[in-house]
PDB file of all heavy atoms in Angstrom:
ATOM      1  N   VAL A   1      17.837  -7.123   1.812  1.00  0.00           N
ATOM      2  CA  VAL A   1      17.975  -6.042   0.855  1.00  0.00           C
ATOM      3  C   VAL A   1      18.848  -4.946   1.506  1.00  0.00           C
ATOM      4  O   VAL A   1      18.593  -4.538   2.641  1.00  0.00           O
ATOM      5  CB  VAL A   1      16.641  -5.400   0.470  1.00  0.00           C
ATOM      6  CG1 VAL A   1      16.847  -4.322  -0.619  1.00  0.00           C
ATOM      7  CG2 VAL A   1      15.670  -6.479  -0.065  1.00  0.00           C
ATOM      8  N   ALA A   2      19.852  -4.511   0.780  1.00  0.00           N
ATOM      9  CA  ALA A   2      20.689  -3.405   1.265  1.00  0.00           C
ATOM     10  C   ALA A   2      20.687  -2.316   0.219  1.00  0.00           C
ATOM     11  O   ALA A   2      20.539  -2.613  -0.974  1.00  0.00           O
ATOM     12  CB  ALA A   2      22.179  -3.854   1.480  1.00  0.00           C
ATOM     13  N   MET A   3      20.775  -1.054   0.667  1.00  0.00           N
ATOM     14  CA  MET A   3      20.741   0.077  -0.235  1.00  0.00           C
ATOM     15  C   MET A   3      21.867   1.033   0.102  1.00  0.00           C
ATOM     16  O   MET A   3      22.207   1.186   1.315  1.00  0.00           O
ATOM     17  CB  MET A   3      19.449   0.834  -0.149  1.00  0.00           C
ATOM     18  CG  MET A   3      18.191   0.052  -0.514  1.00  0.00           C
ATOM     19  SD  MET A   3      16.648   0.842   0.057  1.00  0.00           S
ATOM     20  CE  MET A   3      16.478   0.152   1.683  1.00  0.00           C
ATOM     21  N   ILE A   4      22.436   1.657  -0.885  1.00  0.00           N
ATOM     22  CA  ILE A   4      23.459   2.720  -0.655  1.00  0.00           C
ATOM     23  C   ILE A   4      23.355   3.769  -1.765  1.00  0.00           C
ATOM     24  O   ILE A   4      23.121   3.387  -2.935  1.00  0.00           O
ATOM     25  CB  ILE A   4      24.877   2.099  -0.609  1.00  0.00           C
ATOM     26  CG1 ILE A   4      25.897   3.173  -0.185  1.00  0.00           C
ATOM     27  CG2 ILE A   4      25.296   1.506  -1.932  1.00  0.00           C
ATOM     28  CD1 ILE A   4      27.263   2.653   0.100  1.00  0.00           C
ATOM     29  N   SER A   5      23.465   4.986  -1.402  1.00  0.00           N
ATOM     30  CA  SER A   5      23.439   6.067  -2.395  1.00  0.00           C
ATOM     31  C   SER A   5      24.839   6.326  -2.879  1.00  0.00           C
ATOM     32  O   SER A   5      25.808   6.288  -2.037  1.00  0.00           O
ATOM     33  CB  SER A   5      22.833   7.302  -1.775  1.00  0.00           C
ATOM     34  OG  SER A   5      23.519   7.729  -0.632  1.00  0.00           O
ATOM     35  N   TYR A   6      25.021   6.553  -4.117  1.00  0.00           N
ATOM     36  CA  TYR A   6      26.327   6.879  -4.684  1.00  0.00           C
ATOM     37  C   TYR A   6      26.164   7.821  -5.850  1.00  0.00           C
ATOM     38  O   TYR A   6      25.451   7.467  -6.815  1.00  0.00           O
ATOM     39  CB  TYR A   6      27.065   5.601  -5.102  1.00  0.00           C
ATOM     40  CG  TYR A   6      28.316   5.870  -5.878  1.00  0.00           C
ATOM     41  CD1 TYR A   6      29.364   6.710  -5.334  1.00  0.00           C
ATOM     42  CD2 TYR A   6      28.557   5.367  -7.136  1.00  0.00           C
ATOM     43  CE1 TYR A   6      30.506   6.966  -6.044  1.00  0.00           C
ATOM     44  CE2 TYR A   6      29.709   5.637  -7.869  1.00  0.00           C
ATOM     45  CZ  TYR A   6      30.674   6.447  -7.295  1.00  0.00           C
ATOM     46  OH  TYR A   6      31.848   6.683  -8.001  1.00  0.00           O
ATOM     47  N   ALA A   7      26.769   9.008  -5.727  1.00  0.00           N
ATOM     48  CA  ALA A   7      26.630   9.998  -6.798  1.00  0.00           C
ATOM     49  C   ALA A   7      25.188  10.298  -7.044  1.00  0.00           C
ATOM     50  O   ALA A   7      24.444  10.725  -6.200  1.00  0.00           O
ATOM     51  CB  ALA A   7      27.451   9.558  -8.013  1.00  0.00           C
ATOM     52  N   ASP A   8      24.678   9.978  -8.284  1.00  0.00           N
ATOM     53  CA  ASP A   8      23.336  10.348  -8.649  1.00  0.00           C
ATOM     54  C   ASP A   8      22.392   9.166  -8.704  1.00  0.00           C
ATOM     55  O   ASP A   8      21.346   9.247  -9.388  1.00  0.00           O
ATOM     56  CB  ASP A   8      23.331  11.168  -9.954  1.00  0.00           C
ATOM     57  CG  ASP A   8      24.109  10.340 -11.051  1.00  0.00           C
ATOM     58  OD1 ASP A   8      24.601   9.252 -10.767  1.00  0.00           O
ATOM     59  OD2 ASP A   8      24.153  10.875 -12.185  1.00  0.00           O
ATOM     60  N   HIS A   9      22.723   8.010  -8.051  1.00  0.00           N
ATOM     61  CA  HIS A   9      21.839   6.862  -8.057  1.00  0.00           C
ATOM     62  C   HIS A   9      21.758   6.244  -6.657  1.00  0.00           C
ATOM     63  O   HIS A   9      22.591   6.468  -5.836  1.00  0.00           O
ATOM     64  CB  HIS A   9      22.377   5.801  -9.072  1.00  0.00           C
ATOM     65  CG  HIS A   9      22.100   6.078 -10.520  1.00  0.00           C
ATOM     66  ND1 HIS A   9      22.873   6.964 -11.207  1.00  0.00           N
ATOM     67  CD2 HIS A   9      21.161   5.609 -11.316  1.00  0.00           C
ATOM     68  CE1 HIS A   9      22.383   7.018 -12.484  1.00  0.00           C
ATOM     69  NE2 HIS A   9      21.374   6.188 -12.557  1.00  0.00           N
ATOM     70  N   LEU A  10      20.641   5.517  -6.488  1.00  0.00           N
ATOM     71  CA  LEU A  10      20.496   4.694  -5.321  1.00  0.00           C
ATOM     72  C   LEU A  10      20.624   3.207  -5.748  1.00  0.00           C
ATOM     73  O   LEU A  10      19.925   2.802  -6.657  1.00  0.00           O
ATOM     74  CB  LEU A  10      19.122   4.930  -4.661  1.00  0.00           C
ATOM     75  CG  LEU A  10      18.844   4.123  -3.386  1.00  0.00           C
ATOM     76  CD1 LEU A  10      19.800   4.536  -2.244  1.00  0.00           C
ATOM     77  CD2 LEU A  10      17.389   4.353  -2.898  1.00  0.00           C
ATOM     78  N   TYR A  11      21.522   2.495  -5.065  1.00  0.00           N
ATOM     79  CA  TYR A  11      21.868   1.139  -5.504  1.00  0.00           C
ATOM     80  C   TYR A  11      21.231   0.198  -4.514  1.00  0.00           C
ATOM     81  O   TYR A  11      21.343   0.369  -3.300  1.00  0.00           O
ATOM     82  CB  TYR A  11      23.388   0.980  -5.537  1.00  0.00           C
ATOM     83  CG  TYR A  11      24.093   1.704  -6.669  1.00  0.00           C
ATOM     84  CD1 TYR A  11      24.270   3.078  -6.595  1.00  0.00           C
ATOM     85  CD2 TYR A  11      24.429   1.056  -7.838  1.00  0.00           C
ATOM     86  CE1 TYR A  11      24.871   3.749  -7.650  1.00  0.00           C
ATOM     87  CE2 TYR A  11      25.027   1.751  -8.864  1.00  0.00           C
ATOM     88  CZ  TYR A  11      25.252   3.075  -8.758  1.00  0.00           C
ATOM     89  OH  TYR A  11      25.838   3.778  -9.815  1.00  0.00           O
ATOM     90  N   PHE A  12      20.651  -0.899  -5.060  1.00  0.00           N
ATOM     91  CA  PHE A  12      20.028  -1.993  -4.271  1.00  0.00           C
ATOM     92  C   PHE A  12      20.847  -3.266  -4.499  1.00  0.00           C
ATOM     93  O   PHE A  12      21.172  -3.605  -5.662  1.00  0.00           O
ATOM     94  CB  PHE A  12      18.596  -2.184  -4.731  1.00  0.00           C
ATOM     95  CG  PHE A  12      17.664  -1.084  -4.494  1.00  0.00           C
ATOM     96  CD1 PHE A  12      17.623   0.040  -5.357  1.00  0.00           C
ATOM     97  CD2 PHE A  12      16.746  -1.069  -3.425  1.00  0.00           C
ATOM     98  CE1 PHE A  12      16.764   1.069  -5.141  1.00  0.00           C
ATOM     99  CE2 PHE A  12      15.882  -0.005  -3.240  1.00  0.00           C
ATOM    100  CZ  PHE A  12      15.867   1.057  -4.045  1.00  0.00           C
ATOM    101  N   GLY A  13      21.114  -3.945  -3.446  1.00  0.00           N
ATOM    102  CA  GLY A  13      21.728  -5.284  -3.529  1.00  0.00           C
ATOM    103  C   GLY A  13      20.880  -6.253  -2.782  1.00  0.00           C
ATOM    104  O   GLY A  13      20.468  -6.033  -1.593  1.00  0.00           O
ATOM    105  N   ILE A  14      20.503  -7.361  -3.357  1.00  0.00           N
ATOM    106  CA  ILE A  14      19.609  -8.412  -2.776  1.00  0.00           C
ATOM    107  C   ILE A  14      20.360  -9.706  -2.727  1.00  0.00           C
ATOM    108  O   ILE A  14      20.817 -10.230  -3.735  1.00  0.00           O
ATOM    109  CB  ILE A  14      18.306  -8.543  -3.535  1.00  0.00           C
ATOM    110  CG1 ILE A  14      17.548  -7.188  -3.590  1.00  0.00           C
ATOM    111  CG2 ILE A  14      17.460  -9.594  -2.873  1.00  0.00           C
ATOM    112  CD1 ILE A  14      16.209  -7.289  -4.312  1.00  0.00           C
ATOM    113  N   LEU A  15      20.553 -10.227  -1.535  1.00  0.00           N
ATOM    114  CA  LEU A  15      21.114 -11.576  -1.346  1.00  0.00           C
ATOM    115  C   LEU A  15      20.000 -12.498  -0.930  1.00  0.00           C
ATOM    116  O   LEU A  15      19.161 -12.146  -0.064  1.00  0.00           O
ATOM    117  CB  LEU A  15      22.213 -11.582  -0.268  1.00  0.00           C
ATOM    118  CG  LEU A  15      23.058 -12.833  -0.143  1.00  0.00           C
ATOM    119  CD1 LEU A  15      23.895 -12.990  -1.453  1.00  0.00           C
ATOM    120  CD2 LEU A  15      23.942 -12.858   1.077  1.00  0.00           C
ATOM    121  N   ALA A  16      19.920 -13.664  -1.488  1.00  0.00           N
ATOM    122  CA  ALA A  16      18.852 -14.580  -1.225  1.00  0.00           C
ATOM    123  C   ALA A  16      19.359 -16.019  -1.104  1.00  0.00           C
ATOM    124  O   ALA A  16      20.405 -16.355  -1.704  1.00  0.00           O
ATOM    125  CB  ALA A  16      17.783 -14.543  -2.376  1.00  0.00           C
ATOM    126  N   ASP A  17      18.659 -16.803  -0.350  1.00  0.00           N
ATOM    127  CA  ASP A  17      19.035 -18.205  -0.333  1.00  0.00           C
ATOM    128  C   ASP A  17      18.754 -18.892  -1.663  1.00  0.00           C
ATOM    129  O   ASP A  17      17.764 -18.558  -2.356  1.00  0.00           O
ATOM    130  CB  ASP A  17      18.180 -18.925   0.765  1.00  0.00           C
ATOM    131  CG  ASP A  17      18.585 -20.433   0.929  1.00  0.00           C
ATOM    132  OD1 ASP A  17      19.661 -20.626   1.533  1.00  0.00           O
ATOM    133  OD2 ASP A  17      17.885 -21.276   0.412  1.00  0.00           O
ATOM    134  N   TYR A  18      19.643 -19.747  -2.090  1.00  0.00           N
ATOM    135  CA  TYR A  18      19.587 -20.341  -3.407  1.00  0.00           C
ATOM    136  C   TYR A  18      18.281 -21.081  -3.630  1.00  0.00           C
ATOM    137  O   TYR A  18      17.698 -21.074  -4.713  1.00  0.00           O
ATOM    138  CB  TYR A  18      20.754 -21.282  -3.613  1.00  0.00           C
ATOM    139  CG  TYR A  18      20.984 -21.764  -5.016  1.00  0.00           C
ATOM    140  CD1 TYR A  18      21.805 -21.042  -5.895  1.00  0.00           C
ATOM    141  CD2 TYR A  18      20.357 -22.931  -5.515  1.00  0.00           C
ATOM    142  CE1 TYR A  18      21.961 -21.426  -7.202  1.00  0.00           C
ATOM    143  CE2 TYR A  18      20.521 -23.329  -6.812  1.00  0.00           C
ATOM    144  CZ  TYR A  18      21.370 -22.597  -7.683  1.00  0.00           C
ATOM    145  OH  TYR A  18      21.515 -23.036  -8.959  1.00  0.00           O
ATOM    146  N   GLU A  19      17.784 -21.806  -2.603  1.00  0.00           N
ATOM    147  CA  GLU A  19      16.601 -22.616  -2.753  1.00  0.00           C
ATOM    148  C   GLU A  19      15.328 -21.882  -2.846  1.00  0.00           C
ATOM    149  O   GLU A  19      14.372 -22.309  -3.440  1.00  0.00           O
ATOM    150  CB  GLU A  19      16.563 -23.622  -1.585  1.00  0.00           C
ATOM    151  CG  GLU A  19      17.791 -24.550  -1.448  1.00  0.00           C
ATOM    152  CD  GLU A  19      17.984 -25.430  -2.675  1.00  0.00           C
ATOM    153  OE1 GLU A  19      16.962 -25.702  -3.417  1.00  0.00           O
ATOM    154  OE2 GLU A  19      19.118 -25.850  -2.935  1.00  0.00           O
ATOM    155  N   VAL A  20      15.291 -20.686  -2.205  1.00  0.00           N
ATOM    156  CA  VAL A  20      13.999 -19.980  -2.116  1.00  0.00           C
ATOM    157  C   VAL A  20      13.780 -18.929  -3.207  1.00  0.00           C
ATOM    158  O   VAL A  20      12.640 -18.528  -3.469  1.00  0.00           O
ATOM    159  CB  VAL A  20      13.873 -19.289  -0.716  1.00  0.00           C
ATOM    160  CG1 VAL A  20      14.741 -18.003  -0.665  1.00  0.00           C
ATOM    161  CG2 VAL A  20      12.425 -18.971  -0.398  1.00  0.00           C
ATOM    162  N   ALA A  21      14.860 -18.475  -3.831  1.00  0.00           N
ATOM    163  CA  ALA A  21      14.773 -17.430  -4.848  1.00  0.00           C
ATOM    164  C   ALA A  21      15.430 -17.877  -6.153  1.00  0.00           C
ATOM    165  O   ALA A  21      16.544 -17.496  -6.475  1.00  0.00           O
ATOM    166  CB  ALA A  21      15.427 -16.138  -4.354  1.00  0.00           C
ATOM    167  N   ALA A  22      14.678 -18.755  -6.830  1.00  0.00           N
ATOM    168  CA  ALA A  22      15.226 -19.248  -8.135  1.00  0.00           C
ATOM    169  C   ALA A  22      15.542 -18.086  -9.107  1.00  0.00           C
ATOM    170  O   ALA A  22      16.431 -18.179  -9.940  1.00  0.00           O
ATOM    171  CB  ALA A  22      14.288 -20.242  -8.772  1.00  0.00           C
ATOM    172  N   ASP A  23      14.765 -17.034  -9.009  1.00  0.00           N
ATOM    173  CA  ASP A  23      14.987 -15.869  -9.893  1.00  0.00           C
ATOM    174  C   ASP A  23      15.041 -14.626  -9.041  1.00  0.00           C
ATOM    175  O   ASP A  23      14.055 -13.875  -8.907  1.00  0.00           O
ATOM    176  CB  ASP A  23      13.870 -15.767 -10.967  1.00  0.00           C
ATOM    177  CG  ASP A  23      14.096 -14.646 -11.913  1.00  0.00           C
ATOM    178  OD1 ASP A  23      15.291 -14.129 -11.942  1.00  0.00           O
ATOM    179  OD2 ASP A  23      13.218 -14.298 -12.704  1.00  0.00           O
ATOM    180  N   VAL A  24      16.199 -14.398  -8.398  1.00  0.00           N
ATOM    181  CA  VAL A  24      16.313 -13.244  -7.518  1.00  0.00           C
ATOM    182  C   VAL A  24      16.231 -11.957  -8.328  1.00  0.00           C
ATOM    183  O   VAL A  24      15.909 -10.864  -7.780  1.00  0.00           O
ATOM    184  CB  VAL A  24      17.647 -13.291  -6.741  1.00  0.00           C
ATOM    185  CG1 VAL A  24      18.851 -13.172  -7.668  1.00  0.00           C
ATOM    186  CG2 VAL A  24      17.679 -12.302  -5.602  1.00  0.00           C
ATOM    187  N   ASN A  25      16.479 -12.067  -9.617  1.00  0.00           N
ATOM    188  CA  ASN A  25      16.383 -10.891 -10.509  1.00  0.00           C
ATOM    189  C   ASN A  25      14.924 -10.389 -10.574  1.00  0.00           C
ATOM    190  O   ASN A  25      14.719  -9.193 -10.889  1.00  0.00           O
ATOM    191  CB  ASN A  25      16.871 -11.206 -11.950  1.00  0.00           C
ATOM    192  CG  ASN A  25      18.313 -11.517 -11.976  1.00  0.00           C
ATOM    193  OD1 ASN A  25      19.109 -10.929 -11.277  1.00  0.00           O
ATOM    194  ND2 ASN A  25      18.723 -12.510 -12.746  1.00  0.00           N
ATOM    195  N   GLN A  26      13.992 -11.230 -10.236  1.00  0.00           N
ATOM    196  CA  GLN A  26      12.574 -10.760 -10.233  1.00  0.00           C
ATOM    197  C   GLN A  26      12.406  -9.688  -9.186  1.00  0.00           C
ATOM    198  O   GLN A  26      11.601  -8.752  -9.339  1.00  0.00           O
ATOM    199  CB  GLN A  26      11.688 -11.953  -9.933  1.00  0.00           C
ATOM    200  CG  GLN A  26      10.198 -11.582  -9.963  1.00  0.00           C
ATOM    201  CD  GLN A  26       9.278 -12.770  -9.584  1.00  0.00           C
ATOM    202  OE1 GLN A  26       9.738 -13.882  -9.325  1.00  0.00           O
ATOM    203  NE2 GLN A  26       7.971 -12.552  -9.658  1.00  0.00           N
ATOM    204  N   LEU A  27      13.090  -9.827  -8.043  1.00  0.00           N
ATOM    205  CA  LEU A  27      12.956  -8.804  -6.984  1.00  0.00           C
ATOM    206  C   LEU A  27      13.607  -7.489  -7.423  1.00  0.00           C
ATOM    207  O   LEU A  27      13.043  -6.437  -7.196  1.00  0.00           O
ATOM    208  CB  LEU A  27      13.661  -9.302  -5.713  1.00  0.00           C
ATOM    209  CG  LEU A  27      12.875 -10.350  -4.896  1.00  0.00           C
ATOM    210  CD1 LEU A  27      13.729 -10.927  -3.793  1.00  0.00           C
ATOM    211  CD2 LEU A  27      11.642  -9.710  -4.255  1.00  0.00           C
ATOM    212  N   THR A  28      14.745  -7.559  -8.129  1.00  0.00           N
ATOM    213  CA  THR A  28      15.393  -6.306  -8.507  1.00  0.00           C
ATOM    214  C   THR A  28      14.616  -5.639  -9.647  1.00  0.00           C
ATOM    215  O   THR A  28      14.438  -4.400  -9.680  1.00  0.00           O
ATOM    216  CB  THR A  28      16.816  -6.501  -8.948  1.00  0.00           C
ATOM    217  OG1 THR A  28      16.896  -7.594  -9.908  1.00  0.00           O
ATOM    218  CG2 THR A  28      17.679  -6.837  -7.713  1.00  0.00           C
ATOM    219  N   ARG A  29      14.059  -6.436 -10.586  1.00  0.00           N
ATOM    220  CA  ARG A  29      13.215  -5.902 -11.654  1.00  0.00           C
ATOM    221  C   ARG A  29      11.985  -5.254 -11.044  1.00  0.00           C
ATOM    222  O   ARG A  29      11.536  -4.215 -11.468  1.00  0.00           O
ATOM    223  CB  ARG A  29      12.893  -6.961 -12.663  1.00  0.00           C
ATOM    224  CG  ARG A  29      14.030  -7.374 -13.564  1.00  0.00           C
ATOM    225  CD  ARG A  29      13.459  -8.156 -14.768  1.00  0.00           C
ATOM    226  NE  ARG A  29      12.640  -9.333 -14.361  1.00  0.00           N
ATOM    227  CZ  ARG A  29      13.168 -10.545 -14.143  1.00  0.00           C
ATOM    228  NH1 ARG A  29      14.442 -10.771 -14.339  1.00  0.00           N
ATOM    229  NH2 ARG A  29      12.376 -11.514 -13.838  1.00  0.00           N
ATOM    230  N   GLY A  30      11.446  -5.887 -10.017  1.00  0.00           N
ATOM    231  CA  GLY A  30      10.255  -5.344  -9.381  1.00  0.00           C
ATOM    232  C   GLY A  30      10.473  -4.002  -8.753  1.00  0.00           C
ATOM    233  O   GLY A  30       9.600  -3.096  -8.813  1.00  0.00           O
ATOM    234  N   ILE A  31      11.680  -3.804  -8.174  1.00  0.00           N
ATOM    235  CA  ILE A  31      12.019  -2.498  -7.619  1.00  0.00           C
ATOM    236  C   ILE A  31      12.130  -1.457  -8.682  1.00  0.00           C
ATOM    237  O   ILE A  31      11.569  -0.337  -8.539  1.00  0.00           O
ATOM    238  CB  ILE A  31      13.348  -2.593  -6.850  1.00  0.00           C
ATOM    239  CG1 ILE A  31      13.199  -3.481  -5.567  1.00  0.00           C
ATOM    240  CG2 ILE A  31      13.912  -1.205  -6.457  1.00  0.00           C
ATOM    241  CD1 ILE A  31      14.494  -3.808  -4.848  1.00  0.00           C
ATOM    242  N   GLU A  32      12.768  -1.747  -9.821  1.00  0.00           N
ATOM    243  CA  GLU A  32      12.873  -0.812 -10.903  1.00  0.00           C
ATOM    244  C   GLU A  32      11.484  -0.447 -11.434  1.00  0.00           C
ATOM    245  O   GLU A  32      11.190   0.761 -11.620  1.00  0.00           O
ATOM    246  CB  GLU A  32      13.648  -1.447 -12.086  1.00  0.00           C
ATOM    247  CG  GLU A  32      15.092  -1.784 -11.777  1.00  0.00           C
ATOM    248  CD  GLU A  32      15.754  -2.648 -12.852  1.00  0.00           C
ATOM    249  OE1 GLU A  32      15.013  -2.773 -13.958  1.00  0.00           O
ATOM    250  OE2 GLU A  32      16.851  -3.062 -12.733  1.00  0.00           O
ATOM    251  N   ASN A  33      10.609  -1.423 -11.614  1.00  0.00           N
ATOM    252  CA  ASN A  33       9.298  -1.168 -12.137  1.00  0.00           C
ATOM    253  C   ASN A  33       8.393  -0.359 -11.150  1.00  0.00           C
ATOM    254  O   ASN A  33       7.654   0.517 -11.541  1.00  0.00           O
ATOM    255  CB  ASN A  33       8.590  -2.498 -12.478  1.00  0.00           C
ATOM    256  CG  ASN A  33       9.231  -3.224 -13.626  1.00  0.00           C
ATOM    257  OD1 ASN A  33       9.919  -2.644 -14.424  1.00  0.00           O
ATOM    258  ND2 ASN A  33       9.035  -4.567 -13.620  1.00  0.00           N
ATOM    259  N   ALA A  34       8.591  -0.619  -9.856  1.00  0.00           N
ATOM    260  CA  ALA A  34       7.819   0.077  -8.833  1.00  0.00           C
ATOM    261  C   ALA A  34       8.206   1.581  -8.843  1.00  0.00           C
ATOM    262  O   ALA A  34       7.321   2.458  -8.765  1.00  0.00           O
ATOM    263  CB  ALA A  34       8.034  -0.496  -7.460  1.00  0.00           C
ATOM    264  N   VAL A  35       9.464   1.839  -8.874  1.00  0.00           N
ATOM    265  CA  VAL A  35       9.924   3.287  -8.924  1.00  0.00           C
ATOM    266  C   VAL A  35       9.422   3.917 -10.177  1.00  0.00           C
ATOM    267  O   VAL A  35       8.958   5.078 -10.177  1.00  0.00           O
ATOM    268  CB  VAL A  35      11.457   3.361  -8.765  1.00  0.00           C
ATOM    269  CG1 VAL A  35      11.961   4.805  -9.003  1.00  0.00           C
ATOM    270  CG2 VAL A  35      11.893   2.859  -7.402  1.00  0.00           C
ATOM    271  N   ALA A  36       9.582   3.247 -11.324  1.00  0.00           N
ATOM    272  CA  ALA A  36       9.091   3.843 -12.611  1.00  0.00           C
ATOM    273  C   ALA A  36       7.647   4.214 -12.552  1.00  0.00           C
ATOM    274  O   ALA A  36       7.215   5.220 -13.098  1.00  0.00           O
ATOM    275  CB  ALA A  36       9.427   2.865 -13.749  1.00  0.00           C
ATOM    276  N   ARG A  37       6.857   3.284 -11.959  1.00  0.00           N
ATOM    277  CA  ARG A  37       5.404   3.554 -11.896  1.00  0.00           C
ATOM    278  C   ARG A  37       5.091   4.799 -10.995  1.00  0.00           C
ATOM    279  O   ARG A  37       4.300   5.637 -11.350  1.00  0.00           O
ATOM    280  CB  ARG A  37       4.674   2.311 -11.371  1.00  0.00           C
ATOM    281  CG  ARG A  37       3.185   2.504 -11.259  1.00  0.00           C
ATOM    282  CD  ARG A  37       2.409   1.224 -11.470  1.00  0.00           C
ATOM    283  NE  ARG A  37       2.627   0.275 -10.366  1.00  0.00           N
ATOM    284  CZ  ARG A  37       1.628  -0.505  -9.891  1.00  0.00           C
ATOM    285  NH1 ARG A  37       0.410  -0.399 -10.437  1.00  0.00           N
ATOM    286  NH2 ARG A  37       1.888  -1.352  -8.957  1.00  0.00           N
TER     287      ARG A  37
END
């Protein structure tokens, strides 16, 4: 996971091995939901 701030947002980028993370979007959605909570 890498993060960088830009203007008024914090951006997350997640790189994953193809075999282990069939739905890497689950990790990014989880970050959004965790911050919202």
Side-chain angles (χ1 to χ4, degrees):
V1 184
M3 297 165 272
I4 188 170
S5 57
Y6 171 56
D8 52 0
H9 282 79
L10 181 64
Y11 290 78
F12 296 78
I14 301 180
L15 190 68
D17 184 77
Y18 191 90
E19 301 297 337
V20 76
D23 186 10
V24 69
N25 295 321
Q26 181 182 4
L27 283 170
T28 51
R29 288 195 303 269
I31 292 172
E32 296 171 7
N33 295 336
V35 172
R37 181 149 68 142

